[in-house]
């Protein structure tokens, strides 16, 4: 049996989130524990665990398109970072594919 993860519940509006962007393919909302002044999670509405479980064709393009659109909407097109943590060793804690859009402060490179 598949147990719904927290992001599926946000997609289904079963639990609240500060939704800032939504279309037929993705939903984006503020991270509950932001690491920067702007920290938005962009989540495909179709459940997939992470980058290792991508279908050949799917919502991946929509995630990238949404990121650029959200950055524009928030006025940070000139400087933002998109991060996908893949696997526990990389810090993935929610096993529903999502991209972090981070902006609003200087972003060091390489990341920690
Ligand atoms: P990961 O560590 O898997 O790359 O990212 C998961 C992110 O989801 C974390 O940054 C965490 O703060 C965020 N998060 C976890 N639970 C919730 C929630 O219920 N609501 C929101 N808005 N963010 C969440």
């Amino acid at each position: 049996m598949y147990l719904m993860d927290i992001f599926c519940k946000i997609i289904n509006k079963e639990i609240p989130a500060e939704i800032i962007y939504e279309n037929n393919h993705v939903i984006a909302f503020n991270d509950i524990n932001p690491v920067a002044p702007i920290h938005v999670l962009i989540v495909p509405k179709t459940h997939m665990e992470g980058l290792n479980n991508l279908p050949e064709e799917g919502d991946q393009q929509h995630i990238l398109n949404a990121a650029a659109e959200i950055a524009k909407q928030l006025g940070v097109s000139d400087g933002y970072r998109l991060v996908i943590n893949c696997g526990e060793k990389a810090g993935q804690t929610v096993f529903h594919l999502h991209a972090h859009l981070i902006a609003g402060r200087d972003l060091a490179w390489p990341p920690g």
Side-chain angles (χ1 to χ4, degrees):
M1 192 182 74
Y2 166 64
L3 289 175
M4 258 212 272
D5 63 77
I6 195 98
F7 291 170
C8 281
K9 289 182 180 163
I10 290 175
I11 291 163
N12 292 336
K13 313 281 161 68
E14 287 171 29
I15 62 167
E18 292 172 11
I19 296 167
I20 61 157
Y21 180 90
E22 184 169 10
N23 63 26
N24 287 339
H25 305 280
V26 301
I27 189 167
F29 48 88
N30 287 327
D31 196 293
I32 206 169
N33 189 19
V35 300
I38 290 173
H39 187 168
V40 176
L41 299 173
I42 304 168
V43 182
K45 289 187 170 177
T46 302
H47 177 85
M48 43 196 125
E49 276 196 15
L51 266 189
N52 291 337
N53 310 90
L54 283 187
E56 231 167 75
E57 284 181 32
D59 287 327
Q60 39 270 50
Q61 183 66 48
H62 294 290
I63 295 171
L64 298 179
N65 290 350
E69 180 57 34
I70 292 164
K72 194 168 149 195
Q73 204 175 290
L74 298 177
V76 294
S77 294
D78 61 340
Y80 63 97
R81 184 170 292 165
L82 209 57
V83 174
I84 298 177
N85 295 322
C86 187
E88 278 174 33
K89 276 166 102 175
Q92 186 175 6
T93 57
V94 177
F95 289 83
H96 181 132
L97 180 66
H98 55 282
H100 300 250
L101 189 159
I102 296 163
R105 64 167 168 79
D106 288 341
L107 298 167
W109 191 263

